Amino acid sequence: MINEWALVFILLGSVVGFIAGLLGVGGGGILVPTLTSILIYQGIPEHDIIHVALGTSMACIIVTSFSSSYAHQKLKAINWPIVWLMGTGCIVGTFAATFLATLTNAIYLALFFALFMFYTAHKMIFGSSQKSVTKKDTKSKSAAWSICIGGISALVSIGGGSLLVPYLNRQGIRMPEAIGTSAAIGFPIALAGSIGYLVNGLGQTREVSGTLGYIYLPAVVLISLTSVISAPIGAKVSHRLPVGRLRKLFALLLIALGIKMVWVVTLGNA
């Protein structure tokens, strides 16, 4: 890896970690489209670029999700029975979806990612009305939902928090515990997704130095280390800035990044 790219990944990790701490959002929305643009210059084959971006972003989430879940565990804000139940379903859905992603054309993956970013942005701008709890889902229904959540998480490379937290909250789980439980489930999601993208990418990018399957290791190491360092800084700053307004600005950034990724992938596959 060329030295100047190391600096780019360090800067990217710092920004992602800071925003995650500041706004309480995952970094996949920034990492995937940004990596899609960067990896073009790393010698990644055009038809594999978005797969490597997804796999690399997922691998980065391993470290951040573990750090986050550890912090929530110290606060005793994790419902472990739910983690074991839904975590298992999420692992199945996430791992299976990496095979689907491998078979899917990069343009369609980019479009799906962009649509999910638009959905996330809409919730951040207009808020999401929480439904009152009338009847909790059965264990089998929760397991089914977890498989779906895991699948979507793999296709857009997220830890599942944007889907898990609202679901758990509608099940009557108070918000702090829903966030902590979601963070704990995010670790197996990231692990299963990373293994899936690694297995599916074996032999696809072997000519590119630094790759292991669909995971670009130099980016994972540098982004993970710097994001863990900068996240606490963002959390401290969040108490001094108008976070509500910043979340809306960030939502607009997600929309722009989603459009940009579709543009890059479309040109690359034209």
Side-chain angles (χ1 to χ4, degrees):
M1 182 180 62
I2 303 175
N3 289 334
E4 53 263 31
W5 289 112
L7 182 60
V8 170
F9 290 132
I10 289 173
L11 179 61
L12 178 58
S14 300
V15 171
V16 168
F18 181 80
I19 291 179
L22 180 67
L23 303 179
V25 297
I30 297 177
L31 279 175
V32 175
T34 306
L35 285 171
T36 299
S37 299
I38 293 175
L39 292 172
I40 294 175
Y41 304 99
Q42 306 299 309
I44 306 294
E46 290 181 352
H47 55 84
D48 289 327
I49 285 177
I50 190 169
H51 298 93
V52 176
L54 289 169
T56 301
S57 175
M58 188 63 82
C60 291
I61 297 173
I62 292 177
V63 177
T64 55
S65 62
F66 180 82
S67 175
S68 176
S69 59
Y70 178 74
H72 285 290
Q73 172 58 21
K74 289 197 297 183
L75 297 173
K76 301 186 183 303
I78 297 178
N79 187 318
W80 286 106
I82 292 179
V83 172
W84 299 126
L85 172 66
M86 297 197 70
T88 302
C90 284
I91 289 174
V92 173
T94 302
F95 188 71
T98 60
F99 289 83
L100 175 62
T102 303
L103 298 174
T104 304
N105 185 282
I107 294 178
Y108 297 124
L109 280 176
L111 287 172
F112 184 80
F113 180 89
L115 288 173
F116 187 80
M117 288 303 102
F118 298 160
Y119 162 76
T120 303
H122 179 271
K123 289 204 308 178
M124 294 182 74
I125 294 174
F126 299 104
S128 55
S129 57
Q130 299 295 337
K131 299 178 182 178
S132 59
V133 183
T134 56
K135 183 179 180 180
K136 291 185 179 181
D137 289 344
T138 61
K139 289 185 177 181
S140 58
K141 191 172 183 179
S142 293
W145 272 112
S146 66
I147 293 174
C148 295
I149 290 172
I152 295 173
S153 298
L155 294 176
V156 295
S157 192
I158 59 173
S162 58
L163 299 172
L164 281 167
V165 172
Y167 175 79
L168 293 174
N169 194 236
R170 286 196 297 270
Q171 296 301 301
I173 306 297
R174 59 191 183 89
M175 188 57 73
E177 189 174 324
I179 294 172
T181 303
S182 171
I185 297 174
F187 178 72
I189 286 178
L191 195 59
S194 299
I195 294 173
Y197 280 114
L198 187 156
V199 171
N200 282 282
L202 289 177
Q204 301 297 318
T205 58
R206 59 174 175 263
E207 296 180 359
V208 183
S209 177
T211 56
L212 183 61
Y214 284 132
I215 299 175
Y216 190 57
L217 296 176
V220 172
V221 172
L222 295 174
I223 291 173
S224 298
L225 289 176
T226 51
S227 63
V228 168
I229 294 172
S230 61
I233 300 174
K236 291 181 180 179
V237 174
S238 67
H239 296 283
R240 305 177 183 177
L241 296 177
V243 174
R245 185 177 302 174
L246 290 175
R247 285 176 65 87
K248 293 180 180 180
L249 291 176
F250 181 70
L252 297 178
L253 175 62
L254 289 181
I255 294 174
L257 287 173
I259 294 173
K260 183 179 186 298
M261 189 173 77
V262 173
W263 178 264
V264 169
V265 172
T266 303
L267 288 181
N269 288 272

